[in-house]
Amino acid sequence: VDFAQDFFKRPAYLTVSGQLQAESYACALGAVYTFGPTFRAEDSHTQRHLAEFWMLEPEMAFADLKDDMDCAEAMLKASISHILEALPDDLAFFDSACTKKLPGFTKGGLLQRLRQIV
């Protein structure tokens, strides 16, 4: 392989999402999800571009838009509740950073906004 012509310009090993298998499982089980690393081959080589990240992929059989929105809302509320309980020091750090960097943010603003969600 001529890596000068290759997308990543070096050897790279990409995975496939479990979404295809999850779709068939959802037909039998109703609702399932996969959680794992995701790899994107997009032509961007900046420090802020995510070529690799972890993603939660829910699959629900026979669901409509309202079901999708309810699932997303419940997942966000559960995640935020867990973060509020398990990571108070990290949230205090982010709250401090928001206060310094974002106009109109006051101390405790991030925590207040997160608590309003749950």
Side-chain angles (χ1 to χ4, degrees), residues 35 73-91 111 114-115 117-118:
F35 179 70
E73 182 179 353
M75 191 264 316
L76 283 172
K77 285 182 175 182
S79 298
I80 292 169
S81 292
H82 176 74
I83 290 166
L84 284 168
E85 291 175 24
L87 302 168
D89 294 339
D90 291 344
L91 286 177
L111 298 173
L114 291 174
R115 287 185 185 114
I117 294 171
V118 297

Side-chain angles (χ1 to χ4, degrees), residues 1 11-12 65 71 100 115:
V1 175
L65 181 58
C71 178
K100 292 175 189 172
R115 287 185 185 114

